[in-house]
Amino acid sequence: MTVRVTLITPATSEALRGVRFDDDSSLDPEALARTEALAGTVGRDLPAFTSPSLRCRRTAEALGLAAEPLAAIAPCDMGRWRGRTLDSVAASEEEAVMTWLTDPAASPHGGEPLRQFRERVGAWLDSLDDRSGRLVAVAEPDIVRASLVHVLSAPDQAFWRFDVRPLHATELSGRRRRWNLSVGRPLTHEGPG
């Protein structure tokens, strides 16, 4: 049995535009309009899931998906950094930011360590082993990065090397915990990619 997972990244939000750790802000109006224009480009008949973040839920709705929020693909918990800009955190906690970027087991923000986050996302992917067919998940960019690290069996530090753009599809196919991928195609009226 092969499962095919299409990970759709959400449209932009105020937090993303402000290079701010997400604070569950909604889509900005321009991004919402672009997303609504893409409604129907992703199979509406497919099982659909979404990160529980407001941005992902609104993106799924705008795409016309009846997506179920799934805790397993919640974004990484950024603890006390939530809602702050990276620049402001780096200015006041430069050493903590460097630790966070270099040590996957560290959580200087008081939230979820990168390694634990990657393991959580990997466990979700591996739990799909008993499924076959296609499914769609609207998921934050950090979920896509963690998925790529997992499917490639890459070191945790590779997480920082993936650029993940809004409203792009990453397709994974796998069985028996062996995965293949097609990375980062923009959503179009012809479907993902």
Short mmCIF file of all heavy atoms in Angstrom, two decimals, residues 3 7 16 18 23 28 36 46 63 81 95 97 103 105 114 126 133 148 157 160 163 171 176 187 189 191:
data_model
loop_
_atom_site.label_atom_id
_atom_site.label_comp_id
_atom_site.label_asym_id
_atom_site.label_seq_id
_atom_site.Cartn_x
_atom_site.Cartn_y
_atom_site.Cartn_z
N VAL A 3 0.89 5.44 0.27
CA VAL A 3 0.15 6.64 0.64
C VAL A 3 0.84 7.82 -0.02
O VAL A 3 2.07 7.87 -0.11
CB VAL A 3 0.05 6.81 2.18
CG1 VAL A 3 1.42 7.00 2.81
CG2 VAL A 3 -0.87 7.96 2.54
N LEU A 7 1.53 18.12 1.05
CA LEU A 7 1.62 19.14 2.09
C LEU A 7 1.52 20.50 1.40
O LEU A 7 2.33 20.82 0.54
CB LEU A 7 2.95 19.04 2.83
CG LEU A 7 3.21 17.74 3.60
CD1 LEU A 7 4.64 17.72 4.12
CD2 LEU A 7 2.21 17.57 4.72
N LEU A 16 4.14 36.32 9.38
CA LEU A 16 5.14 35.92 8.39
C LEU A 16 5.76 37.13 7.72
O LEU A 16 6.98 37.22 7.57
CB LEU A 16 4.51 34.99 7.35
CG LEU A 16 5.47 34.40 6.32
CD1 LEU A 16 6.50 33.50 6.99
CD2 LEU A 16 4.69 33.62 5.27
N GLY A 18 6.07 40.02 8.94
CA GLY A 18 6.87 40.74 9.92
C GLY A 18 8.05 39.96 10.45
O GLY A 18 8.72 40.39 11.38
N ASP A 23 2.00 34.05 16.00
CA ASP A 23 1.15 34.33 17.15
C ASP A 23 -0.31 34.03 16.80
O ASP A 23 -1.23 34.59 17.37
CB ASP A 23 1.32 35.77 17.62
CG ASP A 23 1.05 36.78 16.52
OD1 ASP A 23 0.72 36.37 15.38
OD2 ASP A 23 1.17 37.98 16.79
N ASP A 28 -3.35 37.74 5.72
CA ASP A 28 -3.59 39.13 5.36
C ASP A 28 -4.57 39.15 4.20
O ASP A 28 -4.73 38.16 3.48
CB ASP A 28 -2.29 39.91 5.10
CG ASP A 28 -1.44 39.33 3.99
OD1 ASP A 28 -1.98 39.01 2.92
OD2 ASP A 28 -0.22 39.23 4.18
N GLU A 36 -8.28 32.28 -2.16
CA GLU A 36 -9.64 32.01 -2.62
C GLU A 36 -9.69 31.83 -4.13
O GLU A 36 -10.49 31.04 -4.64
CB GLU A 36 -10.59 33.13 -2.17
CG GLU A 36 -10.85 33.09 -0.68
CD GLU A 36 -11.61 34.28 -0.15
OE1 GLU A 36 -11.58 35.36 -0.80
OE2 GLU A 36 -12.21 34.16 0.93
N LEU A 46 -10.49 14.41 -1.43
CA LEU A 46 -9.45 13.72 -0.67
C LEU A 46 -9.61 13.95 0.83
O LEU A 46 -10.08 15.01 1.25
CB LEU A 46 -8.06 14.22 -1.09
CG LEU A 46 -7.68 14.04 -2.55
CD1 LEU A 46 -6.31 14.65 -2.82
CD2 LEU A 46 -7.69 12.57 -2.92
N LEU A 63 -9.24 27.34 0.21
CA LEU A 63 -9.01 26.40 -0.89
C LEU A 63 -10.20 25.48 -1.13
O LEU A 63 -10.21 24.69 -2.07
CB LEU A 63 -7.75 25.56 -0.62
CG LEU A 63 -6.42 26.29 -0.69
CD1 LEU A 63 -5.28 25.39 -0.20
CD2 LEU A 63 -6.15 26.79 -2.10
N TRP A 81 8.94 33.06 22.97
CA TRP A 81 9.28 33.83 21.77
C TRP A 81 8.07 34.06 20.88
O TRP A 81 8.12 34.86 19.94
CB TRP A 81 10.38 33.15 20.98
CG TRP A 81 11.72 33.12 21.67
CD1 TRP A 81 12.06 33.73 22.84
CD2 TRP A 81 12.89 32.44 21.23
NE1 TRP A 81 13.38 33.47 23.16
CE2 TRP A 81 13.91 32.67 22.18
CE3 TRP A 81 13.17 31.65 20.13
CZ2 TRP A 81 15.19 32.15 22.05
CZ3 TRP A 81 14.46 31.12 20.00
CH2 TRP A 81 15.45 31.38 20.95
N GLU A 95 22.71 34.77 22.53
CA GLU A 95 23.26 33.44 22.81
C GLU A 95 22.18 32.37 22.75
O GLU A 95 22.40 31.27 22.24
CB GLU A 95 23.93 33.43 24.18
CG GLU A 95 24.74 32.16 24.42
CD GLU A 95 25.53 32.25 25.72
OE1 GLU A 95 26.18 33.28 25.97
OE2 GLU A 95 25.51 31.25 26.46
N VAL A 97 19.46 32.41 20.91
CA VAL A 97 19.13 32.18 19.51
C VAL A 97 20.19 31.30 18.86
O VAL A 97 19.87 30.35 18.13
CB VAL A 97 18.96 33.51 18.74
CG1 VAL A 97 18.86 33.27 17.23
CG2 VAL A 97 17.74 34.26 19.23
N ASP A 103 21.76 23.66 18.31
CA ASP A 103 21.57 22.46 19.15
C ASP A 103 20.11 22.01 19.06
O ASP A 103 19.23 22.59 19.70
CB ASP A 103 21.94 22.78 20.60
CG ASP A 103 21.79 21.57 21.52
OD1 ASP A 103 21.35 20.48 21.06
OD2 ASP A 103 22.09 21.72 22.72
N ALA A 105 18.52 19.76 20.43
CA ALA A 105 17.91 19.29 21.68
C ALA A 105 17.60 20.46 22.62
O ALA A 105 16.96 20.26 23.66
CB ALA A 105 18.84 18.30 22.37
N LEU A 114 13.73 21.42 18.74
CA LEU A 114 13.63 21.04 17.33
C LEU A 114 13.62 19.53 17.13
O LEU A 114 12.83 19.00 16.35
CB LEU A 114 14.80 21.66 16.54
CG LEU A 114 14.86 21.31 15.07
CD1 LEU A 114 13.63 21.80 14.33
CD2 LEU A 114 16.12 21.88 14.44
N ASP A 126 4.92 8.41 9.77
CA ASP A 126 5.04 6.95 9.85
C ASP A 126 3.72 6.29 10.26
O ASP A 126 3.48 5.14 9.92
CB ASP A 126 6.17 6.56 10.81
CG ASP A 126 7.54 6.90 10.24
OD1 ASP A 126 7.65 7.14 9.01
OD2 ASP A 126 8.51 6.94 11.03
N GLY A 133 -3.64 5.46 -0.82
CA GLY A 133 -4.35 6.53 -1.50
C GLY A 133 -3.73 7.88 -1.20
O GLY A 133 -2.61 7.97 -0.71
N LEU A 148 10.64 16.92 5.57
CA LEU A 148 11.75 16.69 4.65
C LEU A 148 12.95 16.08 5.38
O LEU A 148 13.58 15.15 4.87
CB LEU A 148 12.15 17.99 3.96
CG LEU A 148 11.09 18.58 3.03
CD1 LEU A 148 11.53 19.93 2.49
CD2 LEU A 148 10.75 17.63 1.90
N GLN A 157 20.02 19.40 11.81
CA GLN A 157 20.50 20.72 11.39
C GLN A 157 20.07 21.05 9.96
O GLN A 157 20.05 22.22 9.58
CB GLN A 157 22.02 20.83 11.53
CG GLN A 157 22.50 20.86 12.97
CD GLN A 157 22.58 19.47 13.63
OE1 GLN A 157 22.23 18.45 13.05
NE2 GLN A 157 23.04 19.45 14.86
N TRP A 160 17.18 23.83 8.87
CA TRP A 160 17.39 25.24 8.58
C TRP A 160 17.76 25.50 7.13
O TRP A 160 17.84 26.64 6.70
CB TRP A 160 18.46 25.83 9.50
CG TRP A 160 18.11 25.60 10.93
CD1 TRP A 160 18.76 24.79 11.81
CD2 TRP A 160 17.03 26.18 11.65
NE1 TRP A 160 18.14 24.82 13.03
CE2 TRP A 160 17.07 25.67 12.95
CE3 TRP A 160 16.02 27.07 11.31
CZ2 TRP A 160 16.14 26.03 13.92
CZ3 TRP A 160 15.11 27.43 12.28
CH2 TRP A 160 15.17 26.91 13.57
N ASP A 163 14.12 26.21 2.21
CA ASP A 163 13.23 27.36 2.03
C ASP A 163 11.87 26.82 1.63
O ASP A 163 11.76 26.03 0.68
CB ASP A 163 13.74 28.29 0.93
CG ASP A 163 14.90 29.16 1.39
OD1 ASP A 163 15.00 29.42 2.60
OD2 ASP A 163 15.70 29.56 0.54
N GLU A 171 5.05 17.04 -2.25
CA GLU A 171 4.38 15.74 -2.33
C GLU A 171 5.30 14.64 -1.86
O GLU A 171 6.45 14.53 -2.30
CB GLU A 171 3.91 15.49 -3.76
CG GLU A 171 2.85 16.51 -4.17
CD GLU A 171 2.36 16.34 -5.58
OE1 GLU A 171 3.01 15.64 -6.38
OE2 GLU A 171 1.31 16.92 -5.90
N ARG A 176 5.80 1.42 3.99
CA ARG A 176 6.76 0.76 4.88
C ARG A 176 7.84 1.73 5.38
O ARG A 176 9.01 1.39 5.44
CB ARG A 176 7.39 -0.45 4.22
CG ARG A 176 6.40 -1.52 3.90
CD ARG A 176 7.08 -2.78 3.42
NE ARG A 176 6.09 -3.63 2.81
CZ ARG A 176 6.19 -4.14 1.60
NH1 ARG A 176 7.27 -3.91 0.88
NH2 ARG A 176 5.24 -4.89 1.12
N LEU A 187 0.94 26.26 -6.15
CA LEU A 187 -0.43 25.89 -6.49
C LEU A 187 -0.86 26.72 -7.69
O LEU A 187 -0.55 27.92 -7.78
CB LEU A 187 -1.37 26.20 -5.33
CG LEU A 187 -1.16 25.39 -4.05
CD1 LEU A 187 -2.24 25.77 -3.04
CD2 LEU A 187 -1.18 23.91 -4.31
N HIS A 189 -4.08 26.76 -11.06
CA HIS A 189 -5.42 26.27 -11.39
C HIS A 189 -5.38 24.88 -12.00
O HIS A 189 -6.40 24.23 -12.10
CB HIS A 189 -6.17 27.24 -12.31
CG HIS A 189 -6.62 28.44 -11.54
ND1 HIS A 189 -7.70 28.39 -10.69
CD2 HIS A 189 -6.13 29.69 -11.45
CE1 HIS A 189 -7.87 29.57 -10.12
NE2 HIS A 189 -6.93 30.38 -10.56
N GLY A 191 -3.82 22.57 -10.46
CA GLY A 191 -3.60 21.73 -9.28
C GLY A 191 -2.23 22.00 -8.70
O GLY A 191 -1.53 22.91 -9.14
#
